[in-house]
């Protein structure tokens, strides 16, 4: 386990407290510098905790705005909102995720048949391309489970435009090794780099930019294709309507169903005294090939969540399921006369697929699945239908509405 990322809420909150003094002008000025794995003091390293909602976006923004005016912290708040934008955008275009999975399967099959692609892919993921900068990022990713944002952009760009490897294979490599690996942020960022998100606008990594923002640590002068064409692909599908959120009254007893995308049930919009039990779905194994570090982070985060749930809800039954099958959850509900199994909205991605098959098996059990939505998501997601700008321009008024500004 990377010692920088102990998978607990306490660790996430401690990291947040330590970072808050640096989240203002200092972050805006220095966040783009990738000083290497030995010095990450210019960024927060909060992403694995936000990814699993061991801490919430609202908590992060509240803490930062308690110490900085929005005028100083706007860059940091915007970056947090990029995460929200990607989540909301994918939520309204679930097909982009299923298309990604099909294209990935196809690219994997092609790589089996084409020894050039297979060799290029193996060299890339093992850090043996001969492009020293790229090879250093590949090794950093597999060794630490983290890459700086700028390095992620450079890496994806070199993968697609210089090494000419299929973008889906690169997105899959990231997803399997990043401790913050996220269906929305990762897939859509790769699409953005490729020029598929805003069609025709791709991100081109340039040696001079890499030299400058690594302060001379890395310099791939003459090694990159700096005048590539963007990838060609269809327009993204039109946005669908968001599923309307459901609600539970404070008069109903409930059992909570926790899954790895939101691991702070003690902060869900349900009355704690009505919680008769908590059921934890196993960390998602449905995405093949997750690294051992990712699996260990997720398993640790689930254990931490089970421990917190015991305390937060007055020690009701907490069940950690070994497989995502509902029999034990239904038995628990029946034992307490509970008819609703409540979760917060499970976003598009591997955990959604697991959740949907779990819910399908509830049919006829007398127990209904209810998905409530967090205020943060309800407030921002409706703006995430086109470009980021629509979210960005609504940040101040939305934070005000949420009581954060
Ligand atoms: C190709 C590519 C793949 C990426 N894959 C992921 C991923 O799987 N999971 C993931 O969480 N982020 C992903 N990002 C976004 C970003 O690189 C990371 O969130 C960020 O580097 C995490 O480091 P930090 O916590 O120190 O960020 P900070 O700079 O401290 O930012 C604070 C928080 O804001 C959010 N954030 C910051 N930048 C972005 C961004 N560009 N997009 C979305 N959210 C952002 C993160 O939750 C982050 O923890 C990807 C970016 C690229 C270019």
């Amino acid at each position: 386990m990377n010692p920088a990322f102990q998978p607990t809420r306490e660790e996430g909150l401690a990291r947040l407290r330590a970072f808050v003094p640096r989240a203002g002008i200092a972050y805006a000025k220095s966040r783009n510098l990738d000083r290497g794995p030995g010095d990450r003091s210019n960024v927060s390293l909060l992403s694995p905790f936000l990814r699993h909602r061991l801490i919430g976006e609202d908590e992060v923004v509240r803490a930062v705005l308690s110490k900085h005016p929005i005028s100083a912290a706007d860059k940091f708040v915007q970056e947090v909102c990029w995460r929200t934008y990607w989540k909301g955008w994918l939520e309204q275009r679930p097909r982009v995720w299923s298309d990604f999975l099909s294209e990935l399967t196809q690219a994997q099959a092609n790589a089996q048949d084409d020894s050039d692609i297979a060799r290029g892919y193996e060299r890339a993921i093992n850090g043996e391309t001969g492009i020293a900068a790229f090879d250093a990022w590949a090794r950093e990713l597999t060794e630490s489970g983290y890459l700086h944002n700028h390095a992620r952009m450079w890496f994806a760009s070199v993968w697609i435009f210089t090494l000419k490897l299929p973008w889906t294979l690169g997105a899959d490599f990231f997803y399997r090794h990043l401790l913050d690996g996220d269906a929305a942020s990762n897939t859509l960022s790769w699409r953005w780099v490729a020029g598929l998100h805003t069609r025709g606008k791709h991100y081109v990594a340039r040696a001079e930019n890499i030299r400058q923002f690594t302060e001379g640590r890395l310099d791939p002068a003459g090694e990159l294709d700096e005048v590539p064409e963007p990838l060609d692909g269809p327009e993204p599908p039109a946005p669908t309507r968001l599923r309307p959120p459901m609600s539970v009254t404070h008069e109903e007893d409930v059992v909570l169903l926790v899954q790895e995308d939101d691991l702070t049930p003690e902060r869900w919009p349900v009355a704690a005294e009505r919680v008769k039990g908590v059921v934890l779905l196993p960390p998602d194994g449905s995405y093949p090939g997750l690294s051992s570090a990712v699996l260990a982070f997720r398993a640790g985060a689930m254990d931490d969540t089970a421990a917190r749930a015991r305390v937060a809800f007055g020690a009701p039954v907490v069940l950690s399921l070994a497989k995502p099958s509902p029999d034990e959850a239904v038995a628990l509900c029946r034992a307490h006369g509970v008819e609703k199994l409540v979760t917060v909205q499970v976003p598009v991605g591997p955990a959604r697929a697991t959740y949907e098959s779990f819910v399908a098996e509830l049919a006829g059990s007398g127990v209904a699945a209810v998905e409530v939505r967090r205020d943060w998501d309800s407030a921002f997601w409706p703006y995430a239908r086109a470009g980021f700008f629509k979210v960005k321009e609504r940040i101040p008024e939305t934070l005000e509405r949420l009581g954060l500004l």
Side-chain angles (χ1 to χ4, degrees):
M1 174 88 55
N2 181 337
F5 296 110
Q6 292 306 312
T8 64
R9 171 164 164 78
E10 199 179 310
E11 175 70 22
L13 290 172
R15 185 169 293 282
L16 174 60
R17 279 193 299 275
F19 180 70
V20 159
R22 292 177 267 128
I25 301 288
Y27 176 82
K29 281 193 175 150
S30 69
R31 71 188 182 93
N32 276 327
L33 290 173
D34 179 356
R35 296 181 170 128
D39 181 2
R40 295 284 178 225
S41 57
N42 57 331
V43 288
S44 71
L45 299 183
L46 286 172
S47 52
F49 304 93
L50 282 164
R51 152 68 179 90
H52 292 286
R53 279 200 165 144
L54 282 165
I55 56 176
E57 293 87 340
D58 58 327
E59 289 181 286
V60 171
V61 167
R62 189 185 292 282
V64 166
L65 293 180
S66 73
K67 289 286 182 296
H68 303 275
I70 183 80
S71 55
D74 62 342
K75 208 65 212 153
F76 183 77
V77 172
Q78 279 166 25
E79 292 307 312
V80 173
C81 288
W82 265 102
R83 170 181 152 78
T84 306
Y85 166 66
W86 290 133
K87 298 299 286 181
W89 194 95
L90 190 62
E91 214 48 40
Q92 294 171 84
R93 292 174 181 82
R95 217 189 77 203
V96 172
W97 173 250
S98 48
D99 284 354
F100 162 69
L101 292 178
S102 325
E103 278 183 54
L104 172 61
T105 306
Q106 187 58 55
Q108 286 165 334
N110 293 348
Q112 298 237 313
D113 295 341
D114 184 326
S115 57
D116 283 348
I117 298 182
R119 251 196 315 274
Y121 173 73
E122 286 301 318
R123 284 197 198 112
I125 64 170
N126 292 317
E128 293 166 353
T129 64
I131 302 172
F134 182 93
D135 293 345
W137 298 318
R139 281 193 296 273
E140 185 185 344
L141 173 60
T142 51
E143 283 164 17
S144 75
Y146 178 85
L147 279 184
H148 184 279
N149 181 58
H150 225 157
R152 297 183 199 207
M153 291 161 62
W154 295 323
F155 184 101
S157 181
V158 175
W159 179 286
I160 296 167
F161 299 121
T162 297
L163 301 174
K164 306 211 181 314
L165 290 166
W167 75 269
T168 50
L169 294 182
D172 169 70
F173 177 54
F174 264 28
Y175 188 83
R176 290 186 293 106
H177 287 279
L178 285 170
L179 295 182
D180 61 30
D182 180 85
S185 291
N186 186 52
T187 316
L188 302 179
S189 295
W190 274 83
R191 283 172 49 87
W192 175 83
V193 170
L196 298 169
H197 183 70
T198 314
R199 284 187 73 232
K201 282 197 181 169
H202 53 328
Y203 174 77
V204 180
R206 298 185 200 287
E208 175 51 27
N209 180 264
I210 294 170
R211 194 194 57 73
Q212 183 188 345
F213 285 96
T214 60
E215 298 178 323
R217 198 170 48 85
L218 301 168
D219 184 1
E223 296 178 311
L224 309 182
D225 182 346
E226 300 199 8
V227 284
E229 290 295 315
L231 295 193
D232 199 15
E235 283 286 350
T240 55
R241 290 176 73 81
L242 282 167
R243 270 188 302 275
M246 302 156 129
S247 58
V248 280
T249 69
H250 284 196
E251 281 76 53
E252 296 169 278
D253 288 342
V254 295
V255 166
L256 302 185
L257 180 66
V258 181
Q259 51 75 36
E260 64 177 8
D261 280 1
D262 196 316
L263 296 180
T264 36
E266 66 271 38
R267 302 188 70 246
W268 291 3
V270 289
E273 65 278 13
R274 290 295 181 189
V275 175
K276 297 298 161 204
V278 179
V279 175
L280 287 95
L281 286 171
D284 204 300
S286 75
Y287 194 97
L290 297 179
S291 74
S292 53
V294 167
L295 290 171
F297 186 89
R298 293 183 184 197
M302 294 304 283
D303 289 347
D304 178 61
T305 304
R308 274 182 287 107
R310 279 188 196 97
V311 176
F313 301 111
V317 183
V318 176
L319 278 179
S320 293
L321 299 183
K323 55 186 174 56
S325 141
D327 296 350
E328 291 174 82
V330 169
L332 176 60
C333 289
R334 286 192 182 139
H336 291 277
V338 167
E339 292 173 354
K340 287 187 175 169
L341 199 50
V342 177
T343 191
V344 283
Q345 182 156 350
V346 187
V348 171
R352 174 100 217 148
T354 304
Y355 175 74
E356 282 178 356
S357 50
F358 181 93
V359 168
E361 283 189 56
L362 283 177
S365 69
V367 175
V370 174
E371 272 183 278
V372 296
R373 190 180 290 151
R374 283 187 182 266
D375 290 346
W376 178 274
D377 297 337
S378 290
F380 277 110
W381 282 359
Y383 303 131
R385 290 171 71 78
F388 176 67
F389 182 73
K390 294 272 180 222
V391 169
K392 185 177 154 187
E393 67 180 2
R394 301 287 187 146
I395 291 174
E397 68 172 68
T398 309
L399 293 183
E400 252 179 63
R401 229 178 331 129
L402 289 167
L404 296 171
L405 191 63

